[in-house]
Amino acid sequence: MTTAARRVFRFVDWTLRPDQDDDAPPLTHRFRCLSLTDDDTECGAESDKHTDPLDAQAWTFEHLRANPEHTSYAEVIERPWVMWLGCPS
């Protein structure tokens, strides 16, 4: 004869929100080149991360000067988020 193990489940509410605490990582911007090279692969060159989006955009002009045919870019924004058990007050 076997006995079934008793299981207890605890359901909790989690809240996801942008992390705006003083010690949160900064919001950052960077750009990546989407232009295709001669062998049809994406260039993939990318700027450094910057907290000022204009600094990240400046990289696109530098890259374009060095590669006049590279005219397609994607902005990559990194925004920190945090999970809270329950609803933060």
Side-chain angles (χ1 to χ4, degrees):
M1 172 189 248
T2 61
T3 57
R6 182 170 182 221
R7 295 182 185 175
V8 176
F9 293 94
R10 180 176 160 236
F11 295 95
V12 295
D13 290 324
W14 285 94
T15 301
L16 176 64
R17 68 168 177 82
D19 191 350
Q20 298 173 334
D21 294 340
D22 292 339
D23 62 345
L27 177 93
T28 60
H29 306 262
R30 66 180 168 86
F31 276 83
R32 186 177 83 239
C33 181
L34 301 177
S35 297
L36 298 178
T37 61
D38 292 337
D39 62 356
D40 278 345
T41 59
E42 186 179 291
C43 169
E46 56 187 49
S47 71
D48 292 331
K49 290 182 182 181
H50 296 275
T51 55
D52 184 340
L54 294 178
D55 291 338
Q57 289 175 5
W59 174 86
T60 63
F61 292 96
E62 295 169 14
H63 189 69
L64 180 66
R65 275 192 291 278
N67 305 278
E69 67 283 359
H70 291 204
T71 57
S72 184
Y73 298 88
E75 182 180 19
V76 180
I77 300 172
E78 190 171 302
R79 176 176 290 121
W81 289 74
V82 65
M83 295 290 285
W84 283 84
L85 181 59
C87 186
S89 53

